[in-house]
Each structure stands twice: as C-alpha cells, then as structure tokens.
Amino acid sequence: MWEFETEVSKIIQRTPSIRSFRFPIRATDVSYEAGQFFFVTIKVDGDDDIHHFSLSSSPTERGYLEFTKRITQSAYSQALARMKPGDWARLRGPFGGFTLPPEPGKVGFLTGGIGITPLRAMLRYIADKGLSFDVTMLYGNHSWEEICFRDELERLHRELPHFRLEHALAEPPPDWKGARGLINGEIIRQFIPDYHERLFYISGPPRMVLSLGDQARNIGVPDDQIKRDSFTGYD
Ligand SMILES: Cc1cc2nc3c(=O)[nH]c(=O)nc-3n(C[C@H](O)[C@H](O)[C@H](O)COP(=O)(O)OP(=O)(O)OC[C@H]3O[C@@H](n4cnc5c(N)ncnc54)[C@H](O)[C@@H]3O)c2cc1C
C-alpha cells in the first residue's frame, strides 16, 4: 500500500460531464492491478475531503495514475472542477479485488456511463500485454455523445482480435443499428450468446450494478460467475 502527496499533472475532458485527472508517479514506484481503486484526498474549501476512485489508467501506462469522475453538483465535484495542473492531492492505495483472473479466458463486461473506468483499465492492460482474453462488452449510455473513452474503445476494438464491443443507447441517433434502451437479459442473450461460458464484470453506480447483476442472474449466469464493483456515493 502506498500513500503520498502529489499534484494534478493533467486534466482531460472525456464527455461534457466526465473528466480524467492524472497524477505523476515520482519517487514512489507504485504498483497496482488494472481494476483497483485509490483513495483521493483534495482540498474542498480549505479542508481535506476524501473519495475513492477506480483507476482508469492501466499499470502499463507508465509515469502517472489516472482516475475519471462524473462532475456532479457536490462540493467535492465542484472542487475537482476548479482544479488545475499543480494543485495538491493525496493518494492512498491500491485496494480492491475487481481484477482480471490470472489465466486469460472468456469474460463479459457489463457497464454504463462512469462505470467504464476499471474496465477501460483492464482493456488497456490486455492490449498492452498482448493477453489472450476473449472480451465481450455491453456499454450502456444515454446518448452517443456521452460515451466515455469512445474513441479509445473503438481503437481497442480494432487492436484486440477477441474484443467485441456493443453500445446500448437510451436515445440513439436516427440511423442507429445497435442495442436500444437499458441493458437487460434479452440484450445480454442477443449480444453475448455464450454468456454462460463467461466470467462477468459489472461496475458502476450501486443501482446499476444491482440491476445488471439481476439481469445476468435471471438468464442463468451463476452468482459465482459475476464480479461486482459498486461505486457507492452515487444513487
Ligand atoms: C470502489 C469504488 C470505486 C469508485 N470509482 C469511481 C470512479 O471511477 N469514478 C467516479 O466518478 N466515482 C467512483 N466512485 C464513487 C465516488 O467515490 C463518489 O462517491 C461519487 O463520485 C459521488 O461523489 P460526488 O462528489 O458526486 O457526490 P457526494 O455528494 O460527494 O456524495 C454523494 C453522497 O454519498 C456519500 N458518499 C460519497 N462517497 C461515498 C462512498 N464512497 N461511500 C459511501 N458514501 C459516500 C456522501 O457523503 C454524500 O452523502 C467509486 C466508489 C467506489 C466505492
């Protein structure tokens, strides 16, 4: 476990409401697994305030840690929104077992919106390490514009021979041919026909994780084939 003071080195606007924050890793040689989370302390109106975040970066991306946050109206979010390169933060971690199995196999990623963060880290890790995971991902969003890491996911899709990516959109553009509405059992069955052979990873706000877990269980995925990462703090 590492705990260190650092400063923001880069801020990246991912969608109209989502931003990534990067922190350099200097003297401390921090190691972590793709999918783990860190506690992040920042100054909110002069006082320390702490939230935890999955890293959206992969350990193969050297020199920085990155987390990605939906900017809400909360005091913490608004302090983040005001942050600029050079501003102070304290990081502590890594924690969590929402990580890839040691042996490459068939996995299914189910998520929506901000829940993409640990899964993006895992996909980047799989691609950079050339691992032979077979990944099918269903990613739900409100609209095309709100898909976080959209261009990178498309690049990973081209890069990885065994990565199937399907977007489900609640309000798709007129010529949309993909899945529509919220991800449900029927959509999982349709886009992941071999769902019974896969280890599922479900991440995001608690209500979404609960609902996606129920949908998977209802079509017969056993509970021990489902790993969950619940972003407590969101409704
Ligand atoms: C393992 C893990 C990974 C996460 N990864 C991400 C991520 O990658 N991106 C992301 O945007 N968010 C992530 N979260 C959620 C994040 O920690 C914040 O809770 C969330 O972003 C809401 O913060 P806010 O500033 O919008 O709202 P706030 O107003 O700060 O929080 C909303 C309410 O929830 C309470 N609360 C805040 N955080 C927690 C908490 N962790 N547990 C219990 N109650 C809490 C607050 O006291 C408040 O009442 C993760 C959470 C967990 C547990």
PDB file of all heavy atoms in Angstrom, residues 146-174:
ATOM      1  N   GLU A 146     -22.311  10.899 -24.927  1.00  0.00           N
ATOM      2  CA  GLU A 146     -21.961  10.647 -23.532  1.00  0.00           C
ATOM      3  C   GLU A 146     -21.133   9.377 -23.326  1.00  0.00           C
ATOM      4  O   GLU A 146     -20.863   8.990 -22.191  1.00  0.00           O
ATOM      5  CB  GLU A 146     -23.230  10.603 -22.682  1.00  0.00           C
ATOM      6  CG  GLU A 146     -23.769  12.006 -22.463  1.00  0.00           C
ATOM      7  CD  GLU A 146     -25.095  12.017 -21.756  1.00  0.00           C
ATOM      8  OE1 GLU A 146     -25.332  11.137 -20.908  1.00  0.00           O
ATOM      9  OE2 GLU A 146     -25.891  12.903 -22.074  1.00  0.00           O
ATOM     10  N   ILE A 147     -20.745   8.732 -24.418  1.00  0.00           N
ATOM     11  CA  ILE A 147     -19.923   7.514 -24.271  1.00  0.00           C
ATOM     12  C   ILE A 147     -18.509   7.933 -23.859  1.00  0.00           C
ATOM     13  O   ILE A 147     -17.811   8.627 -24.611  1.00  0.00           O
ATOM     14  CB  ILE A 147     -19.873   6.705 -25.586  1.00  0.00           C
ATOM     15  CG1 ILE A 147     -21.277   6.264 -25.988  1.00  0.00           C
ATOM     16  CG2 ILE A 147     -18.943   5.505 -25.434  1.00  0.00           C
ATOM     17  CD1 ILE A 147     -21.356   5.599 -27.353  1.00  0.00           C
ATOM     18  N   CYS A 148     -18.119   7.498 -22.658  1.00  0.00           N
ATOM     19  CA  CYS A 148     -16.796   7.865 -22.140  1.00  0.00           C
ATOM     20  C   CYS A 148     -15.731   6.971 -22.778  1.00  0.00           C
ATOM     21  O   CYS A 148     -15.957   5.773 -22.949  1.00  0.00           O
ATOM     22  CB  CYS A 148     -16.818   7.687 -20.618  1.00  0.00           C
ATOM     23  SG  CYS A 148     -15.405   8.373 -19.791  1.00  0.00           S
ATOM     24  N   PHE A 149     -14.578   7.526 -23.117  1.00  0.00           N
ATOM     25  CA  PHE A 149     -13.485   6.802 -23.802  1.00  0.00           C
ATOM     26  C   PHE A 149     -13.936   6.223 -25.156  1.00  0.00           C
ATOM     27  O   PHE A 149     -13.456   5.173 -25.574  1.00  0.00           O
ATOM     28  CB  PHE A 149     -12.940   5.657 -22.916  1.00  0.00           C
ATOM     29  CG  PHE A 149     -12.315   6.105 -21.631  1.00  0.00           C
ATOM     30  CD1 PHE A 149     -12.914   5.809 -20.414  1.00  0.00           C
ATOM     31  CD2 PHE A 149     -11.135   6.817 -21.625  1.00  0.00           C
ATOM     32  CE1 PHE A 149     -12.343   6.220 -19.212  1.00  0.00           C
ATOM     33  CE2 PHE A 149     -10.544   7.239 -20.433  1.00  0.00           C
ATOM     34  CZ  PHE A 149     -11.154   6.929 -19.231  1.00  0.00           C
ATOM     35  N   ARG A 150     -14.863   6.908 -25.835  1.00  0.00           N
ATOM     36  CA  ARG A 150     -15.452   6.351 -27.065  1.00  0.00           C
ATOM     37  C   ARG A 150     -14.396   6.060 -28.133  1.00  0.00           C
ATOM     38  O   ARG A 150     -14.353   4.949 -28.672  1.00  0.00           O
ATOM     39  CB  ARG A 150     -16.496   7.332 -27.609  1.00  0.00           C
ATOM     40  CG  ARG A 150     -17.316   6.751 -28.727  1.00  0.00           C
ATOM     41  CD  ARG A 150     -18.340   7.743 -29.202  1.00  0.00           C
ATOM     42  NE  ARG A 150     -17.697   8.887 -29.823  1.00  0.00           N
ATOM     43  CZ  ARG A 150     -18.189  10.118 -29.812  1.00  0.00           C
ATOM     44  NH1 ARG A 150     -19.340  10.363 -29.223  1.00  0.00           N
ATOM     45  NH2 ARG A 150     -17.554  11.111 -30.406  1.00  0.00           N
ATOM     46  N   ASP A 151     -13.530   7.051 -28.416  1.00  0.00           N
ATOM     47  CA  ASP A 151     -12.537   6.844 -29.485  1.00  0.00           C
ATOM     48  C   ASP A 151     -11.557   5.753 -29.093  1.00  0.00           C
ATOM     49  O   ASP A 151     -11.158   4.932 -29.914  1.00  0.00           O
ATOM     50  CB  ASP A 151     -11.763   8.142 -29.765  1.00  0.00           C
ATOM     51  CG  ASP A 151     -12.681   9.176 -30.382  1.00  0.00           C
ATOM     52  OD1 ASP A 151     -13.791   8.812 -30.810  1.00  0.00           O
ATOM     53  OD2 ASP A 151     -12.291  10.363 -30.408  1.00  0.00           O
ATOM     54  N   GLU A 152     -11.180   5.743 -27.823  1.00  0.00           N
ATOM     55  CA  GLU A 152     -10.212   4.736 -27.397  1.00  0.00           C
ATOM     56  C   GLU A 152     -10.823   3.332 -27.453  1.00  0.00           C
ATOM     57  O   GLU A 152     -10.148   2.371 -27.807  1.00  0.00           O
ATOM     58  CB  GLU A 152      -9.707   5.032 -26.000  1.00  0.00           C
ATOM     59  CG  GLU A 152      -8.498   4.180 -25.754  1.00  0.00           C
ATOM     60  CD  GLU A 152      -7.961   4.227 -24.369  1.00  0.00           C
ATOM     61  OE1 GLU A 152      -8.425   5.045 -23.569  1.00  0.00           O
ATOM     62  OE2 GLU A 152      -7.063   3.414 -24.097  1.00  0.00           O
ATOM     63  N   LEU A 153     -12.085   3.218 -27.090  1.00  0.00           N
ATOM     64  CA  LEU A 153     -12.739   1.912 -27.166  1.00  0.00           C
ATOM     65  C   LEU A 153     -12.771   1.419 -28.611  1.00  0.00           C
ATOM     66  O   LEU A 153     -12.558   0.231 -28.886  1.00  0.00           O
ATOM     67  CB  LEU A 153     -14.158   1.989 -26.594  1.00  0.00           C
ATOM     68  CG  LEU A 153     -14.249   2.121 -25.072  1.00  0.00           C
ATOM     69  CD1 LEU A 153     -15.690   2.393 -24.632  1.00  0.00           C
ATOM     70  CD2 LEU A 153     -13.717   0.875 -24.367  1.00  0.00           C
ATOM     71  N   GLU A 154     -13.009   2.340 -29.544  1.00  0.00           N
ATOM     72  CA  GLU A 154     -13.010   1.954 -30.962  1.00  0.00           C
ATOM     73  C   GLU A 154     -11.608   1.484 -31.378  1.00  0.00           C
ATOM     74  O   GLU A 154     -11.464   0.505 -32.106  1.00  0.00           O
ATOM     75  CB  GLU A 154     -13.457   3.121 -31.854  1.00  0.00           C
ATOM     76  CG  GLU A 154     -14.913   3.536 -31.647  1.00  0.00           C
ATOM     77  CD  GLU A 154     -15.911   2.397 -31.848  1.00  0.00           C
ATOM     78  OE1 GLU A 154     -15.678   1.535 -32.719  1.00  0.00           O
ATOM     79  OE2 GLU A 154     -16.912   2.359 -31.092  1.00  0.00           O
ATOM     80  N   ARG A 155     -10.581   2.205 -30.882  1.00  0.00           N
ATOM     81  CA  ARG A 155      -9.206   1.807 -31.206  1.00  0.00           C
ATOM     82  C   ARG A 155      -8.886   0.434 -30.628  1.00  0.00           C
ATOM     83  O   ARG A 155      -8.313  -0.421 -31.287  1.00  0.00           O
ATOM     84  CB  ARG A 155      -8.200   2.818 -30.624  1.00  0.00           C
ATOM     85  CG  ARG A 155      -7.851   3.939 -31.581  1.00  0.00           C
ATOM     86  CD  ARG A 155      -6.533   4.622 -31.186  1.00  0.00           C
ATOM     87  NE  ARG A 155      -6.475   5.078 -29.814  1.00  0.00           N
ATOM     88  CZ  ARG A 155      -7.037   6.209 -29.367  1.00  0.00           C
ATOM     89  NH1 ARG A 155      -7.694   6.975 -30.200  1.00  0.00           N
ATOM     90  NH2 ARG A 155      -6.943   6.568 -28.100  1.00  0.00           N
ATOM     91  N   LEU A 156      -9.296   0.214 -29.376  1.00  0.00           N
ATOM     92  CA  LEU A 156      -9.050  -1.080 -28.724  1.00  0.00           C
ATOM     93  C   LEU A 156      -9.781  -2.189 -29.478  1.00  0.00           C
ATOM     94  O   LEU A 156      -9.283  -3.301 -29.627  1.00  0.00           O
ATOM     95  CB  LEU A 156      -9.529  -1.040 -27.272  1.00  0.00           C
ATOM     96  CG  LEU A 156      -8.597  -0.332 -26.288  1.00  0.00           C
ATOM     97  CD1 LEU A 156      -9.341   0.083 -25.025  1.00  0.00           C
ATOM     98  CD2 LEU A 156      -7.419  -1.241 -25.932  1.00  0.00           C
ATOM     99  N   HIS A 157     -10.945  -1.868 -29.985  1.00  0.00           N
ATOM    100  CA  HIS A 157     -11.741  -2.823 -30.749  1.00  0.00           C
ATOM    101  C   HIS A 157     -10.984  -3.257 -32.008  1.00  0.00           C
ATOM    102  O   HIS A 157     -10.983  -4.431 -32.389  1.00  0.00           O
ATOM    103  CB  HIS A 157     -13.081  -2.159 -31.117  1.00  0.00           C
ATOM    104  CG  HIS A 157     -14.024  -3.087 -31.772  1.00  0.00           C
ATOM    105  ND1 HIS A 157     -14.720  -2.757 -32.901  1.00  0.00           N
ATOM    106  CD2 HIS A 157     -14.380  -4.355 -31.467  1.00  0.00           C
ATOM    107  CE1 HIS A 157     -15.453  -3.780 -33.256  1.00  0.00           C
ATOM    108  NE2 HIS A 157     -15.275  -4.762 -32.408  1.00  0.00           N
ATOM    109  N   ARG A 158     -10.294  -2.291 -32.637  1.00  0.00           N
ATOM    110  CA  ARG A 158      -9.507  -2.615 -33.842  1.00  0.00           C
ATOM    111  C   ARG A 158      -8.228  -3.374 -33.466  1.00  0.00           C
ATOM    112  O   ARG A 158      -7.763  -4.243 -34.190  1.00  0.00           O
ATOM    113  CB  ARG A 158      -9.142  -1.341 -34.605  1.00  0.00           C
ATOM    114  CG  ARG A 158     -10.335  -0.727 -35.336  1.00  0.00           C
ATOM    115  CD  ARG A 158      -9.865   0.326 -36.343  1.00  0.00           C
ATOM    116  NE  ARG A 158      -9.228   1.459 -35.685  1.00  0.00           N
ATOM    117  CZ  ARG A 158      -9.893   2.525 -35.238  1.00  0.00           C
ATOM    118  NH1 ARG A 158     -11.193   2.591 -35.369  1.00  0.00           N
ATOM    119  NH2 ARG A 158      -9.253   3.522 -34.652  1.00  0.00           N
ATOM    120  N   GLU A 159      -7.666  -3.026 -32.291  1.00  0.00           N
ATOM    121  CA  GLU A 159      -6.384  -3.568 -31.849  1.00  0.00           C
ATOM    122  C   GLU A 159      -6.493  -5.008 -31.356  1.00  0.00           C
ATOM    123  O   GLU A 159      -5.603  -5.820 -31.565  1.00  0.00           O
ATOM    124  CB  GLU A 159      -5.919  -2.721 -30.654  1.00  0.00           C
ATOM    125  CG  GLU A 159      -4.508  -2.217 -30.675  1.00  0.00           C
ATOM    126  CD  GLU A 159      -4.275  -1.303 -29.476  1.00  0.00           C
ATOM    127  OE1 GLU A 159      -4.772  -0.146 -29.497  1.00  0.00           O
ATOM    128  OE2 GLU A 159      -3.636  -1.735 -28.532  1.00  0.00           O
ATOM    129  N   LEU A 160      -7.598  -5.298 -30.644  1.00  0.00           N
ATOM    130  CA  LEU A 160      -7.714  -6.591 -29.967  1.00  0.00           C
ATOM    131  C   LEU A 160      -8.523  -7.567 -30.829  1.00  0.00           C
ATOM    132  O   LEU A 160      -9.682  -7.301 -31.146  1.00  0.00           O
ATOM    133  CB  LEU A 160      -8.411  -6.412 -28.612  1.00  0.00           C
ATOM    134  CG  LEU A 160      -7.585  -5.765 -27.506  1.00  0.00           C
ATOM    135  CD1 LEU A 160      -8.469  -5.372 -26.332  1.00  0.00           C
ATOM    136  CD2 LEU A 160      -6.511  -6.731 -27.031  1.00  0.00           C
ATOM    137  N   PRO A 161      -7.916  -8.701 -31.190  1.00  0.00           N
ATOM    138  CA  PRO A 161      -8.623  -9.631 -32.089  1.00  0.00           C
ATOM    139  C   PRO A 161      -9.864 -10.256 -31.448  1.00  0.00           C
ATOM    140  O   PRO A 161     -10.783 -10.648 -32.149  1.00  0.00           O
ATOM    141  CB  PRO A 161      -7.566 -10.706 -32.396  1.00  0.00           C
ATOM    142  CG  PRO A 161      -6.529 -10.568 -31.339  1.00  0.00           C
ATOM    143  CD  PRO A 161      -6.574  -9.161 -30.842  1.00  0.00           C
ATOM    144  N   HIS A 162      -9.903 -10.346 -30.123  1.00  0.00           N
ATOM    145  CA  HIS A 162     -11.044 -11.005 -29.479  1.00  0.00           C
ATOM    146  C   HIS A 162     -11.759 -10.057 -28.535  1.00  0.00           C
ATOM    147  O   HIS A 162     -11.940 -10.344 -27.350  1.00  0.00           O
ATOM    148  CB  HIS A 162     -10.577 -12.258 -28.730  1.00  0.00           C
ATOM    149  CG  HIS A 162      -9.855 -13.215 -29.608  1.00  0.00           C
ATOM    150  ND1 HIS A 162     -10.472 -13.906 -30.620  1.00  0.00           N
ATOM    151  CD2 HIS A 162      -8.544 -13.569 -29.662  1.00  0.00           C
ATOM    152  CE1 HIS A 162      -9.580 -14.656 -31.256  1.00  0.00           C
ATOM    153  NE2 HIS A 162      -8.406 -14.467 -30.691  1.00  0.00           N
ATOM    154  N   PHE A 163     -12.112  -8.888 -29.050  1.00  0.00           N
ATOM    155  CA  PHE A 163     -12.849  -7.910 -28.246  1.00  0.00           C
ATOM    156  C   PHE A 163     -14.090  -7.482 -29.035  1.00  0.00           C
ATOM    157  O   PHE A 163     -13.986  -6.836 -30.069  1.00  0.00           O
ATOM    158  CB  PHE A 163     -11.963  -6.705 -27.932  1.00  0.00           C
ATOM    159  CG  PHE A 163     -12.669  -5.560 -27.243  1.00  0.00           C
ATOM    160  CD1 PHE A 163     -13.679  -5.800 -26.302  1.00  0.00           C
ATOM    161  CD2 PHE A 163     -12.337  -4.247 -27.521  1.00  0.00           C
ATOM    162  CE1 PHE A 163     -14.324  -4.735 -25.665  1.00  0.00           C
ATOM    163  CE2 PHE A 163     -12.976  -3.189 -26.889  1.00  0.00           C
ATOM    164  CZ  PHE A 163     -13.973  -3.437 -25.964  1.00  0.00           C
ATOM    165  N   ARG A 164     -15.244  -7.889 -28.530  1.00  0.00           N
ATOM    166  CA  ARG A 164     -16.494  -7.466 -29.151  1.00  0.00           C
ATOM    167  C   ARG A 164     -17.107  -6.364 -28.290  1.00  0.00           C
ATOM    168  O   ARG A 164     -17.233  -6.516 -27.078  1.00  0.00           O
ATOM    169  CB  ARG A 164     -17.448  -8.664 -29.263  1.00  0.00           C
ATOM    170  CG  ARG A 164     -18.706  -8.274 -29.961  1.00  0.00           C
ATOM    171  CD  ARG A 164     -19.555  -9.474 -30.338  1.00  0.00           C
ATOM    172  NE  ARG A 164     -20.758  -8.982 -30.981  1.00  0.00           N
ATOM    173  CZ  ARG A 164     -21.884  -9.635 -31.044  1.00  0.00           C
ATOM    174  NH1 ARG A 164     -21.977 -10.842 -30.528  1.00  0.00           N
ATOM    175  NH2 ARG A 164     -22.932  -9.105 -31.644  1.00  0.00           N
ATOM    176  N   LEU A 165     -17.462  -5.276 -28.934  1.00  0.00           N
ATOM    177  CA  LEU A 165     -17.968  -4.105 -28.215  1.00  0.00           C
ATOM    178  C   LEU A 165     -19.340  -3.733 -28.754  1.00  0.00           C
ATOM    179  O   LEU A 165     -19.511  -3.566 -29.961  1.00  0.00           O
ATOM    180  CB  LEU A 165     -16.992  -2.939 -28.432  1.00  0.00           C
ATOM    181  CG  LEU A 165     -17.446  -1.539 -28.016  1.00  0.00           C
ATOM    182  CD1 LEU A 165     -17.641  -1.443 -26.510  1.00  0.00           C
ATOM    183  CD2 LEU A 165     -16.408  -0.492 -28.472  1.00  0.00           C
ATOM    184  N   GLU A 166     -20.327  -3.650 -27.879  1.00  0.00           N
ATOM    185  CA  GLU A 166     -21.671  -3.219 -28.284  1.00  0.00           C
ATOM    186  C   GLU A 166     -22.121  -2.086 -27.379  1.00  0.00           C
ATOM    187  O   GLU A 166     -22.068  -2.209 -26.157  1.00  0.00           O
ATOM    188  CB  GLU A 166     -22.676  -4.375 -28.147  1.00  0.00           C
ATOM    189  CG  GLU A 166     -22.419  -5.537 -29.056  1.00  0.00           C
ATOM    190  CD  GLU A 166     -22.644  -5.213 -30.539  1.00  0.00           C
ATOM    191  OE1 GLU A 166     -23.323  -4.196 -30.849  1.00  0.00           O
ATOM    192  OE2 GLU A 166     -22.123  -5.969 -31.376  1.00  0.00           O
ATOM    193  N   HIS A 167     -22.550  -1.004 -28.001  1.00  0.00           N
ATOM    194  CA  HIS A 167     -23.098   0.109 -27.233  1.00  0.00           C
ATOM    195  C   HIS A 167     -24.618  -0.034 -27.186  1.00  0.00           C
ATOM    196  O   HIS A 167     -25.247  -0.375 -28.198  1.00  0.00           O
ATOM    197  CB  HIS A 167     -22.758   1.439 -27.904  1.00  0.00           C
ATOM    198  CG  HIS A 167     -21.295   1.769 -27.882  1.00  0.00           C
ATOM    199  ND1 HIS A 167     -20.631   2.094 -26.720  1.00  0.00           N
ATOM    200  CD2 HIS A 167     -20.368   1.813 -28.871  1.00  0.00           C
ATOM    201  CE1 HIS A 167     -19.359   2.337 -27.002  1.00  0.00           C
ATOM    202  NE2 HIS A 167     -19.168   2.165 -28.298  1.00  0.00           N
ATOM    203  N   ALA A 168     -25.185   0.220 -26.015  1.00  0.00           N
ATOM    204  CA  ALA A 168     -26.646   0.291 -25.890  1.00  0.00           C
ATOM    205  C   ALA A 168     -26.978   1.748 -25.566  1.00  0.00           C
ATOM    206  O   ALA A 168     -26.456   2.296 -24.600  1.00  0.00           O
ATOM    207  CB  ALA A 168     -27.131  -0.628 -24.777  1.00  0.00           C
ATOM    208  N   LEU A 169     -27.818   2.370 -26.377  1.00  0.00           N
ATOM    209  CA  LEU A 169     -28.114   3.791 -26.188  1.00  0.00           C
ATOM    210  C   LEU A 169     -29.596   4.005 -25.874  1.00  0.00           C
ATOM    211  O   LEU A 169     -30.473   3.450 -26.550  1.00  0.00           O
ATOM    212  CB  LEU A 169     -27.732   4.584 -27.440  1.00  0.00           C
ATOM    213  CG  LEU A 169     -26.239   4.593 -27.800  1.00  0.00           C
ATOM    214  CD1 LEU A 169     -26.007   5.399 -29.079  1.00  0.00           C
ATOM    215  CD2 LEU A 169     -25.386   5.161 -26.659  1.00  0.00           C
ATOM    216  N   ALA A 170     -29.850   4.816 -24.844  1.00  0.00           N
ATOM    217  CA  ALA A 170     -31.239   5.123 -24.477  1.00  0.00           C
ATOM    218  C   ALA A 170     -31.853   6.074 -25.503  1.00  0.00           C
ATOM    219  O   ALA A 170     -33.027   5.964 -25.840  1.00  0.00           O
ATOM    220  CB  ALA A 170     -31.272   5.744 -23.089  1.00  0.00           C
ATOM    221  N   GLU A 171     -31.045   7.011 -25.991  1.00  0.00           N
ATOM    222  CA  GLU A 171     -31.541   7.937 -27.020  1.00  0.00           C
ATOM    223  C   GLU A 171     -30.594   7.900 -28.199  1.00  0.00           C
ATOM    224  O   GLU A 171     -29.743   8.784 -28.374  1.00  0.00           O
ATOM    225  CB  GLU A 171     -31.649   9.348 -26.447  1.00  0.00           C
ATOM    226  CG  GLU A 171     -32.803   9.463 -25.491  1.00  0.00           C
ATOM    227  CD  GLU A 171     -33.252  10.897 -25.275  1.00  0.00           C
ATOM    228  OE1 GLU A 171     -32.722  11.815 -25.925  1.00  0.00           O
ATOM    229  OE2 GLU A 171     -34.144  11.070 -24.442  1.00  0.00           O
ATOM    230  N   PRO A 172     -30.708   6.856 -29.045  1.00  0.00           N
ATOM    231  CA  PRO A 172     -29.751   6.691 -30.137  1.00  0.00           C
ATOM    232  C   PRO A 172     -30.007   7.682 -31.280  1.00  0.00           C
ATOM    233  O   PRO A 172     -31.116   8.183 -31.416  1.00  0.00           O
ATOM    234  CB  PRO A 172     -30.010   5.255 -30.606  1.00  0.00           C
ATOM    235  CG  PRO A 172     -31.374   4.913 -30.151  1.00  0.00           C
ATOM    236  CD  PRO A 172     -31.711   5.786 -28.991  1.00  0.00           C
ATOM    237  N   PRO A 173     -28.969   7.912 -32.103  1.00  0.00           N
ATOM    238  CA  PRO A 173     -29.181   8.748 -33.293  1.00  0.00           C
ATOM    239  C   PRO A 173     -30.120   8.027 -34.270  1.00  0.00           C
ATOM    240  O   PRO A 173     -30.314   6.807 -34.150  1.00  0.00           O
ATOM    241  CB  PRO A 173     -27.773   8.901 -33.874  1.00  0.00           C
ATOM    242  CG  PRO A 173     -26.938   7.846 -33.230  1.00  0.00           C
ATOM    243  CD  PRO A 173     -27.596   7.452 -31.950  1.00  0.00           C
ATOM    244  N   PRO A 174     -30.693   8.751 -35.258  1.00  0.00           N
ATOM    245  CA  PRO A 174     -31.732   8.167 -36.126  1.00  0.00           C
ATOM    246  C   PRO A 174     -31.303   6.893 -36.862  1.00  0.00           C
ATOM    247  O   PRO A 174     -32.097   5.981 -37.019  1.00  0.00           O
ATOM    248  CB  PRO A 174     -32.024   9.291 -37.126  1.00  0.00           C
ATOM    249  CG  PRO A 174     -31.490  10.534 -36.519  1.00  0.00           C
ATOM    250  CD  PRO A 174     -30.433  10.165 -35.547  1.00  0.00           C
TER     251      PRO A 174
END
